């Protein structure tokens, strides 16, 4: 056989050993197709190498499959197989004098011949790859497809094996991909310098293989080649071929190389922080693109370069509101995700802030290759999906963050959590939510020594206690991008807050306003004068004590605004009104209908989440210039303003706290827009002394609520410690308690009992309640040591995250339901999943209650009868008659809320339900969200108790109905990833 053909076969044999075969239909340009010095060809080959690194598909085995072509191939004379035969004949007829020609000349011949036949063939062992010019053209027209191993969780089961093969083959490419990167890095070398050297090195290894090929018969060889071609084409017919963009692959490779450099940098002790704080330069570009951030503040740079940060020590940092705290946390999270390749948990106080952060970071996840997962309301998977390649950023509320940490500890995966970021760390001192946050952090500290904790807040005082609890370093700065000036308004006089002055304030000016008698009566606090100094050119926030006051103030201001305000951005305001109607089935709040044309709106929890989101977007873009709002906006989404006005020094009926005051006035001044921010607190003469103390005193201290919140605090903690086997005996549990925030503050908080006594009492209570069982583990003459294990009821309460104050009531309700569960309607199941805590706060409208009760069907009245509530009882309550028979108030209230939810699921229109029950639509939506979350909790509770097996399927479907609140036939559609997001985007851009 001709020596030129022999060389080709040797080269093919070398390829066979050098790399595994590529998926059918993918053929990178061979070295033989590259001309000497052809830089474009070399670039194409590098791109091909990168594609081979990305996708490697195992050859399709056809031994047990039906031959799709049979004995007769039915190919025309110019078919692939015919061209292959002709091509091989041409190679066999190469003149003898070409035997000693250079390898490059042979490659040129192959290239020309292949181009002539418009067919690229690379034979690799027992598999042949084909790529026609037509296929190349089609490939460029397709969209880019990125295949990740994590897609196994999202594809049908029929495709799982396909992607597993893809993953297995790509795992074998380590050495080859390293060679390809080295080759790409030294691109000044020419192809004809490298390939012959490769063949020389491999020459001795392939002699035997080449000899065997030369001795085989021509007929068998052709037949074998045809069979391999058919096998390859069969594979193409059976599997959908992914199409890859060369440009995208080059960008991803560059990003991957930058991340590798960043990983090496971050692991070294070098002072060189790389392109962008140990992150690829692409991260910097994305911050410019998505957030318009081109340069960090000096304090941010200082914080990120602290030794404690570089050494991954726990850190607490505190700055005034709007100082840019979140950006530092985001950079640290990206370092953990991209460079250290570990998961990250971010804990935020409210669902709205979680959703805002999900929206802000999802684009980074798509560009940089990590998952952003929401854990809020009824959303979140426990335990989270274990990813093979991409890492996850979990963004969670306080409650969901606790459940997530529990699930990671239970499955032995807490070590995969590299970083935990806590925003608004001061909330550790606020009631039951603070107790849950404390439990979460204490468990992380106890179970994982490699997880870093970062806490941030604008309102921290007793930082030393928090430092001791978290074993953390502390960084603080008084930096604020925009200067804030604080003012007090008493009657017509405005005073500036001045800490150097004798009583803390100095006179600034008299409010110059010409008020009519009518206006004086309507606006005694001169709100109209104060806001018109700012709007419409700048934005303004007016904080009001109550929700009703927000609406009244918004309407009052609009009554006295000039008609000129209606002309400001008139078209955009009409779009806002139109969009509000679109998301509310054509309904619109009459107050908003009157105020939005003036650029004014109210903002409080009475609005639905969709309404709030639309109004916030309109405010952020300047379409709306004035919000009248409650204090919740100060702790919620970031909506800064030129001027912030506090309508009164009260939140509801309670006097303002220093922390609340600082959060509200912190919204004044927009970085990059305003040169100064102003806050004005309006007060009456009677409140002057209290206000002067308010502006001068330090921030309130944080104190642990772990013991104060008995059932949601220490009892829940002990139950989970034993359930997760973190600590199972008295000594270990006491040792754990000493490491909590409460343990740090025990000398301050405990006056009568010691921490040991409280620990013993709590364990005794849980044992008596049947949630724990005590076992003797060591008997001696001196003492008996005990360990504890969790009972079935205890495990159900722990897994369902049920408030221990209600776990026995829930068990009793579910048990009673089994005796006569009414399934003719959803009412009975809805009652069982109506949150207990919301029922205890409910005050029914008895006339509406009676009207709704009288419209119940016989089956629905049976539900009420089973609960001991009759129409006669409700009628007497509505008419104010005396009632002799005692009925549990909580049951009556809970059934009333069940009516609201039941009506909502039937009508799926929150506006009509709001009118029927005379309830704010925002409250109804909160009730729905709470019921969906509690339904999920009850489901987990029932999964742990065999006797409640009947509830499992029923509650699973009910949870979906409560979560999506759509017609039953639409639920499968709502579960498709991206559908809800697309609907929201459609509404917001309509």
């Amino acid at each position: 056989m001709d020596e030129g053909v022999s060389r080709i076969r040797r080269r093919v044999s070398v390829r066979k050993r050098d790399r595994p075969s590529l998926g059918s239909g993918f053929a990178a340009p061979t070295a033989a197709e590259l001309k000497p010095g052809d830089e474009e060809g070399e670039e194409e080959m590098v791109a091909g190498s990168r594609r081979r690194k990305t996708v490697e598909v195992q050859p399709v085995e056809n031994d047990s499959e039906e031959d799709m072509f049979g004995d007769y191939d039915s190919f025309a004379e110019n078919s692939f197989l015919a061209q292959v035969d002709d091509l091989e004949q041409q190679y066999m007829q190469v003149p003898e004098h070409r035997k000693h020609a250079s390898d490059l000349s042979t490659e040129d011949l192959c290239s020309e011949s292949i181009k002539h036949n418009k067919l690229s063939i690379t034979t690799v062992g027992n598999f042949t790859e084909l790529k026609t010019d037509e296929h190349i053209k089609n490939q460029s027209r397709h969209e880019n497809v990125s295949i990740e191993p994590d897609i196994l969780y999202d594809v049908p089961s029929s495709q799982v094996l396909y992607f597993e093969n893809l993953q297995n083959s790509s795992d074998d490419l380590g050495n080859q991909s390293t060679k390809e990167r080295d080759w790409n890095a030294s691109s000044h070398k020419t192809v004809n310098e490298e390939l012959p050297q490769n063949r020389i090195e491999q020459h001795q290894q392939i002699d035997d293989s080449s000899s065997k090929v030369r001795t085989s018969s021509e007929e068998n060889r052709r037949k074998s080649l045809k069979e391999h071609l058919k096998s390859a084409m069969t594979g193409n017919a059976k599997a959908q071929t992914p199409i890859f963009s060369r440009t995208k692959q080059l960008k991803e490779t560059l990003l991957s190389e930058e991340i590798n450099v960043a990983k090496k940098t971050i692991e070294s002790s070098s002072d060189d922080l790389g392109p962008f704080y140990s992150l690829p330069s692409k991260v910097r570009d994305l911050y410019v693109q998505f957030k318009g951030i081109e340069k960090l503040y000096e304090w941010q740079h200082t914080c990120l370069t602290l030794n404690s940060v570089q050494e991954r020590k726990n850190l607490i940092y505190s700055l005034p509101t709007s100082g840019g705290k979140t950006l530092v946390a985001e950079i640290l999270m990206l370092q953990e995700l991209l460079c250290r390749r570990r998961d990250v948990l971010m804990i935020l106080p409210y669902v709205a802030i979680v959703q805002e952060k999900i929206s802000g970071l999802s684009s980074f996840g798509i560009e940089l290759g990590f998952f952003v997962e929401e854990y809020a309301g009824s959303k979140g998977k426990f335990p989270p999906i274990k990813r093979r390649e991409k890492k996850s950023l979990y963004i969670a509320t306080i409650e969901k963050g606790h459940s997530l940490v529990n699930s990671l500890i239970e499955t032995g995966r807490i070590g995969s959590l590299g970083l935990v970021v806590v925003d608004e760390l001061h909330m550790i001192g606020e009631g039951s939510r603070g107790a849950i946050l404390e439990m979460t952090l204490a468990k992380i500290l106890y179970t994982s020594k490699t997880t870093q904790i970062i806490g941030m807040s604008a309102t921290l005082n007793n930082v030393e206690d928090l430092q001791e609890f978290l074993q953390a370093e502390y960084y603080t700065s008084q930096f604020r991008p925009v200067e804030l000036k604080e003012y007090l308004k008493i009657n017509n006089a405005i005073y500036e807050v001045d800490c150097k002055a004798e009583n803390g304030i100095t006179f600034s000016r008299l409010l110059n306003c010409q008020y009519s008698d009518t206006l004086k009566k309507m606006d005694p606090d001169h709100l109209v004068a104060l806001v018109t100094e700012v709007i419409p050119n700048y934005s303004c926030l007016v904080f009001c004590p109550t929700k009703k006051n927000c609406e009244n103030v918004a309407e009052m201001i609009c009554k006295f605004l000039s008609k000129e305000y209606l002309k400001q951005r008139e078209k955009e305001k009409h779009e806002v009104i139109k969009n509000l109607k679109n998301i509310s089935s054509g309904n619109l709040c009459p107050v908003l209908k009157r105020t939005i044309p003036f650029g004014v709106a109210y903002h409080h929890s009475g609005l639905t989440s969709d309404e709030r989101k639309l109004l916030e977007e309109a405010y952020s873009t300047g379409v709306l210039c004035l919000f009248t709002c409650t204090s919740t906006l100060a702790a919620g989404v970031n909506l800064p303003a030129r001027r912030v006005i506090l309508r009164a020094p009260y939140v509801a009926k309670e006097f303002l706290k220093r922390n609340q005051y600082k959060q509200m006035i912190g919204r004044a001044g927009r970085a990059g827009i305003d040169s100064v921010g102003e806050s004005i607190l309006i007060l009456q003469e009677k409140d002057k002394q209290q206000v002067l103390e308010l502006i001068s005193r330090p921030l309130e201290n944080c104190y642990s609520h772990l013991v104060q919140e008995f059932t949601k605090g220490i009892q829940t903690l002990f139950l989970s410690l034993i359930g997760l086997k973190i600590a199972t005996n008295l000594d270990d549990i006491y040792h754990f308690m000493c490491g909590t925030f409460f343990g740090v503050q025990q000398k301050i908080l405990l006056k009568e009992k010691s921490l040991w006594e409280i620990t013993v009492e709590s364990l005794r209570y849980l044992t008596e309640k049947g949630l724990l069982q005590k076992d003797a583990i060591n008997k001696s003459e001196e003492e008996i040591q005990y360990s504890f294990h969790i009972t079935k009821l205890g495990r159900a309460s722990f897994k369902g995250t049920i408030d221990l104050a209600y776990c026995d009531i829930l068990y009793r309700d579910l048990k009673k339901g089994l005796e006569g569960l009414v399934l003719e309607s959803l009412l009975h199941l809805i009652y069982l999943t109506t949150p207990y805590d919301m029922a205890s706060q409910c005050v029914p409208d008895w006339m509406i209650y009676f009207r709704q009760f009288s419209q119940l069907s016989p089956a629905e009245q049976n539900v009420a009868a089973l609960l001991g509530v009759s129409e006669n009882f409700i009628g007497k309550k509505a008419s104010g008659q005396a009632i002799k028979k005692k009925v549990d108030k909580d049951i009556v209230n809970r059934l009333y809320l069940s009516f609201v939810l039941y009506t909502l699921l039937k009508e799926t229109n929150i506006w009509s339900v709001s009118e029927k029950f005379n309830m704010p639509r925002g409250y109804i939506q909160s009730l729905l969200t709470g019921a969906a979350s509690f339904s999920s909790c009850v489901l987990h509770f029932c999964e742990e108790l065999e006797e409640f097996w009947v509830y499992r399927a029923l509650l699973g479907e009910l949870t979906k109905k409560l979560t999506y609140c759509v017609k039953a036939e639409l639920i499968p559609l709502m579960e498709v990833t991206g559908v809800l997001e697309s609907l929201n985007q459609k509404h917001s851009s309509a």
Side-chain angles (χ1 to χ4, degrees):
M1 185 178 292
D2 187 272
E3 182 61 21
V5 176
S6 175
R7 286 174 178 165
I8 293 173
R9 294 197 174 278
R10 286 202 300 275
R11 185 169 175 277
V12 168
S13 182
V14 170
R15 283 195 167 206
K16 178 180 177 181
R17 286 194 299 271
D18 278 359
R19 73 173 196 270
S21 61
L22 201 64
S24 45
F26 285 81
T30 65
E33 294 169 338
L34 300 175
K35 294 181 180 180
D38 189 347
E39 293 179 1
E40 187 177 345
E42 180 178 349
E43 193 175 304
E44 191 67 32
M45 186 167 182
V46 173
S49 299
R50 286 171 175 158
R51 284 194 291 273
R52 289 197 298 275
K53 177 184 175 184
T54 309
V55 177
E56 291 289 341
V57 183
Q58 296 293 339
V60 179
E61 296 294 334
N62 258 349
D63 294 342
S64 60
E65 299 288 342
E66 181 182 353
D67 188 345
M68 296 176 64
F69 304 100
D71 295 329
Y72 177 62
D73 292 326
S74 71
F75 286 127
E77 289 184 359
N78 60 347
S79 68
F80 286 165
L81 297 183
Q83 292 183 52
V84 170
D85 286 348
D86 293 340
L87 187 61
E88 289 193 343
Q89 290 297 329
Q90 291 178 37
Y91 286 139
M92 291 175 64
Q93 294 169 9
V94 176
E96 185 65 21
H97 70 272
R98 299 286 298 272
K99 183 186 300 184
H100 301 292
S102 68
D103 292 334
L104 186 59
S105 300
T106 305
E107 291 167 9
D108 287 344
L109 175 62
C110 296
S111 178
E112 289 300 319
S113 181
I114 290 170
K115 289 176 182 177
H116 176 73
N117 289 279
K118 302 211 181 273
L119 178 64
S120 171
I121 305 176
T122 306
T123 307
V124 185
N126 293 325
F127 188 69
T128 303
E129 301 168 4
L130 299 172
K131 180 160 70 178
T132 64
D133 291 351
E134 181 68 21
H135 175 72
I136 297 170
K137 292 176 184 176
N138 289 339
Q139 177 174 325
S140 66
R141 289 195 297 263
H142 281 73
E143 292 181 357
N144 299 339
V145 180
S146 178
I147 304 297
E148 289 292 337
D150 299 293
I151 208 168
L152 288 176
Y153 296 106
D154 303 317
V155 299
S157 58
S158 59
Q159 297 181 35
V160 170
L161 182 60
Y162 174 81
F163 286 107
E164 285 180 347
N165 289 339
L166 183 153
Q167 173 65 18
N168 293 337
S169 59
S170 65
D171 289 341
D172 296 333
L173 281 180
N175 296 332
Q176 177 68 16
S177 62
T178 303
K179 294 177 184 177
E180 290 167 355
R181 282 196 299 271
D182 293 341
W183 182 18
N184 187 41
S186 56
S187 58
H188 63 279
K189 294 184 180 180
T190 60
V191 176
N192 61 327
E193 287 176 333
E194 292 191 352
L195 293 181
Q197 181 181 356
N198 185 52
R199 285 195 295 276
I200 292 170
E201 292 172 354
Q202 300 292 337
H203 181 74
Q204 295 299 326
Q205 301 176 21
I206 64 173
D207 279 347
D208 294 339
S209 175
S210 299
S211 176
K212 293 178 181 179
V213 171
R214 285 195 296 269
T215 57
S216 61
S217 68
E218 294 298 321
E219 183 179 353
N220 288 340
R221 186 171 55 76
R222 284 201 196 93
K223 183 178 179 181
S224 175
L225 183 56
K226 290 179 182 180
E227 293 298 323
H228 297 326
L229 282 169
K230 288 194 291 184
S231 175
M233 296 171 75
T234 303
N236 284 345
K238 289 185 176 181
Q240 183 178 356
T241 307
I243 306 299
F244 290 88
S245 162
R246 174 188 167 210
T247 305
K248 183 176 180 181
Q249 293 300 323
L250 287 171
K251 287 181 178 179
E252 289 181 354
T253 303
L254 179 61
L255 177 61
S256 176
E257 289 172 356
E258 282 199 341
I259 289 176
N260 288 334
V261 171
K263 285 174 68 176
K264 292 177 182 177
T265 302
I266 208 166
E267 290 168 0
S268 68
S269 58
S270 171
D271 293 331
D272 180 12
L273 292 180
F276 185 70
Y277 300 96
S278 302
L279 289 166
S281 55
K282 183 174 181 179
V283 176
R284 178 180 54 211
D285 298 338
L286 291 175
Y287 270 107
V288 175
Q289 178 184 345
F290 295 139
K291 299 192 176 184
I293 298 173
E294 297 182 359
K295 187 178 179 182
L296 270 66
Y297 297 130
E298 185 178 341
W299 83 264
Q300 292 170 329
H301 173 78
T302 303
C303 187
L304 287 167
T305 54
L306 290 172
N307 289 335
S308 55
V309 173
Q310 301 300 315
E311 295 167 8
R312 295 192 76 251
K313 293 181 179 178
N314 295 344
L315 175 70
I316 300 170
Y317 62 98
S318 176
L319 283 97
T321 303
S322 303
K325 297 183 294 298
T326 306
L327 179 58
V328 171
E330 287 179 4
I331 291 173
L332 293 174
M333 291 191 298
L334 291 174
Q335 287 179 358
E336 199 70 29
L337 289 162
L338 301 179
C339 302
R340 299 189 182 95
R341 308 292 298 160
R342 296 175 76 190
D343 297 329
V344 173
L345 168 61
M346 187 178 201
I347 298 176
L348 301 170
Y350 304 111
V351 174
I353 307 179
V354 169
Q355 292 170 343
E356 182 187 35
K357 189 58 64 178
I358 288 282
S359 175
L361 291 178
S362 291
S363 52
F364 284 83
I366 292 169
E367 293 290 337
L368 299 172
F370 60 86
F371 289 94
V372 181
E373 302 184 39
E374 180 179 350
Y375 280 77
S378 59
K379 294 183 179 179
K381 185 175 178 62
F382 303 102
I385 295 172
K386 190 173 183 179
R387 309 289 185 184
R388 295 183 181 180
E389 291 295 331
K390 290 185 179 181
K391 297 304 171 184
S392 293
L393 169 59
Y394 310 114
I395 302 181
T397 56
I398 292 172
E399 293 79 7
K400 287 290 183 177
H402 183 228
S403 298
L404 179 64
V405 168
N406 282 344
S407 69
L408 290 173
I409 293 172
E410 186 175 26
T411 53
R413 290 166 51 194
I414 190 64
S416 67
L417 204 57
L419 175 65
V420 175
V421 174
V422 182
D423 196 9
E424 309 294 352
L425 183 61
H426 62 272
M427 290 194 71
I428 200 170
E430 295 185 11
S432 61
R433 305 192 78 215
I436 294 170
L437 179 58
E438 180 180 347
M439 287 189 281
T440 305
L441 296 175
K443 288 174 185 175
I444 294 169
L445 288 166
Y446 194 85
T447 58
S448 177
K449 303 303 179 185
T450 60
T451 302
Q452 184 184 16
I453 297 176
I454 304 288
M456 53 182 169
S457 174
T459 55
L460 284 178
N461 190 31
N462 56 330
V463 181
E464 297 80 7
D465 290 346
L466 285 167
Q467 277 186 267
E468 186 178 347
F469 165 48
L470 295 176
Q471 303 153 35
E473 302 289 322
Y474 179 58
Y475 176 83
T476 186
S477 170
Q478 294 305 310
F479 171 82
R480 209 176 184 280
V482 178
E483 182 188 2
L484 173 63
K485 293 185 178 180
E486 299 177 43
Y487 297 95
L488 303 180
K489 177 186 172 296
I490 307 173
N491 299 321
N492 288 342
I494 295 180
Y495 299 87
E496 184 174 358
V497 175
D498 183 1
C499 59
K500 297 178 183 178
E502 184 177 349
N503 60 352
I505 57 174
T506 56
F507 177 79
S508 176
R509 65 186 173 101
L510 282 175
L511 192 62
N512 185 20
C513 55
Q514 301 297 323
Y515 266 35
S516 64
D517 292 338
T518 305
L519 185 52
K520 284 180 182 177
K521 186 177 179 181
M522 295 286 292
D523 182 24
D525 294 326
H526 307 97
L527 275 173
V528 174
L530 290 172
V531 300
T532 51
E533 288 179 344
V534 178
I535 64 170
N537 297 325
Y538 299 98
S539 57
C540 182
L541 295 176
V542 179
F543 284 101
C544 303
T546 66
K547 288 182 283 190
K548 190 62 180 174
N549 193 230
C550 289
E551 298 177 31
N552 292 339
V553 168
E555 284 203 280
M556 182 273 294
I557 290 174
C558 290
K559 283 180 182 178
F560 297 101
L561 287 179
S562 165
K563 300 292 184 183
E564 293 296 318
Y565 285 87
L566 295 171
K567 299 176 183 178
Q568 296 281 337
R569 306 185 71 165
E570 187 175 2
K571 187 176 180 181
E572 289 104 315
K573 291 171 188 173
H574 284 306
E575 282 295 311
V576 172
I577 292 174
K578 179 182 174 182
N579 292 339
L580 284 170
K581 287 182 178 179
N582 287 341
I583 63 171
S584 304
S585 304
N587 296 288
L588 180 64
C589 170
V591 176
L592 292 176
K593 185 178 181 180
R594 289 190 290 269
T595 62
I596 288 177
F598 288 92
V600 179
Y602 67 87
H603 185 288
H604 58 59
S605 60
L607 295 167
T608 66
S609 59
D610 289 335
E611 287 174 318
R612 286 199 300 270
K613 185 177 179 181
L614 266 176
L615 293 174
E616 287 161 7
E617 288 175 357
Y619 178 87
S620 298
T621 55
V623 177
L624 298 178
C625 56
L626 174 64
F627 263 174
T628 57
C629 50
T630 55
S631 60
T632 53
L633 185 137
V637 292
N638 186 24
L639 295 174
R642 172 65 175 267
R643 176 176 288 180
V644 170
I645 301 172
L646 280 67
R647 175 78 173 75
Y650 292 91
V651 173
K653 295 180 180 180
E654 293 185 6
F655 197 81
L656 203 61
K657 295 180 182 178
R658 174 72 173 170
N659 288 351
Q660 294 170 323
Y661 173 72
K662 293 294 284 185
Q663 277 193 324
M664 290 182 192
I665 67 171
R667 297 297 181 199
R670 297 172 298 174
I673 300 175
D674 299 326
S675 58
V676 67
E678 302 171 340
S679 72
I680 301 175
L681 171 57
I682 300 173
L683 64 143
Q684 306 302 319
E685 197 67 45
K686 64 182 180 67
D687 296 321
K688 183 177 178 179
Q689 191 56 41
Q690 275 185 287
V691 169
L692 291 177
E693 293 174 4
L694 170 72
I695 61 174
S696 60
R697 66 170 172 252
L699 295 166
E700 289 84 5
N701 288 335
C702 284
Y703 292 112
S704 170
H705 281 70
L706 195 60
V707 173
Q708 187 175 337
E709 297 290 333
F710 201 53
T711 57
K712 288 187 177 180
I714 191 169
Q715 289 184 0
T716 298
L717 173 62
F718 287 177
L719 195 64
S720 63
L721 289 180
I722 296 165
L724 294 170
K725 299 180 180 177
I726 296 173
T728 56
N729 60 63
L730 182 57
D731 290 338
D732 289 345
I733 293 170
Y734 175 74
H735 176 66
F736 182 96
M737 279 297 296
C738 290
T740 61
F741 189 40
F742 182 84
V744 170
Q745 295 182 325
Q746 58 179 301
K747 291 181 181 179
I748 303 172
L749 299 176
L750 295 179
K751 302 298 182 183
E752 299 176 358
K753 298 178 182 178
S754 66
L755 181 58
W756 176 270
E757 290 173 324
I758 289 176
T759 303
V760 171
E761 284 183 9
S762 298
L763 289 170
R764 184 186 300 121
Y765 177 85
L766 291 170
T767 305
E768 291 172 353
K769 203 167 182 178
L771 302 173
L772 291 180
Q773 189 168 325
K774 186 164 62 174
D775 302 318
I777 57 171
N778 184 27
K779 293 183 179 181
S780 64
E781 294 181 359
E782 298 179 357
E783 62 176 350
I784 300 176
Q785 294 184 359
Y786 293 96
S787 71
F788 297 87
H789 74 263
I790 197 166
T791 63
K792 288 184 178 180
L793 179 59
R795 181 166 294 281
S797 302
F798 155 59
K799 283 296 188 73
T801 61
I802 305 295
D803 184 346
L804 299 187
Y806 303 119
C807 66
D808 51 348
I809 302 173
L810 175 62
Y811 180 84
R812 188 170 64 247
D813 287 346
L814 291 170
K815 192 78 173 175
K816 187 176 181 180
L818 290 178
E819 298 172 6
L821 189 60
V822 179
L823 295 177
E824 292 181 52
S825 74
L826 287 172
L827 182 60
H828 201 168
L829 283 175
I830 289 172
Y831 172 81
L832 293 173
T833 56
T834 301
Y836 289 101
D837 54 349
M838 296 190 78
S840 62
Q841 300 166 10
C842 173
V843 180
D845 183 317
W846 295 105
M847 286 302 298
I848 294 174
Y849 203 161
F850 179 71
R851 192 184 310 128
Q852 293 297 320
F853 203 102
S854 62
Q855 296 174 5
L856 294 178
S857 67
E860 292 160 355
Q861 289 184 358
N862 286 341
V863 176
L866 285 171
L867 299 173
V869 182
S870 65
E871 186 175 358
N872 182 49
F873 170 82
I874 301 298
K876 287 183 177 180
K877 290 289 288 185
S879 60
Q881 298 179 34
I883 300 173
K884 296 180 180 179
K885 181 183 177 183
K886 288 187 177 181
V887 179
D888 192 324
K889 177 185 173 183
D890 289 335
I891 292 177
V892 175
N893 292 355
R894 198 171 177 221
L895 182 61
Y896 183 67
L897 293 182
S898 301
F899 284 174
V900 177
L901 290 168
Y902 182 51
T903 307
L904 183 59
L905 287 188
K906 285 195 298 183
E907 300 184 8
T908 67
N909 187 328
I910 203 167
W911 280 81
S912 64
V913 177
S914 174
E915 290 175 6
K916 279 184 180 179
F917 289 89
N918 193 27
M919 286 181 168
R921 53 196 179 279
Y923 175 81
I924 293 175
Q925 189 177 55
S926 297
L927 174 63
L928 182 67
T929 303
S933 181
F934 188 61
S935 177
S936 177
C937 292
V938 176
L939 174 60
H940 292 306
F941 181 90
C942 293
E943 286 174 343
E944 298 299 321
L945 297 170
E946 189 63 33
E947 60 194 294
F948 294 144
W949 63 270
V950 72
Y951 287 115
R952 295 173 193 170
L954 297 171
L955 291 176
E957 289 302 309
L958 180 62
T959 302
K960 293 178 184 178
K961 290 178 182 291
L962 292 168
T963 300
Y964 302 117
C965 193
V966 294
K967 300 293 184 183
E969 59 268 21
L970 293 179
I971 289 177
L973 178 64
M974 304 303 287
E975 292 183 302
V976 176
T977 303
V979 169
L980 278 174
E981 291 80 357
S982 298
L983 288 174
N984 291 336
Q985 289 175 3
K986 183 179 179 181
H987 285 316
S988 62
S989 62

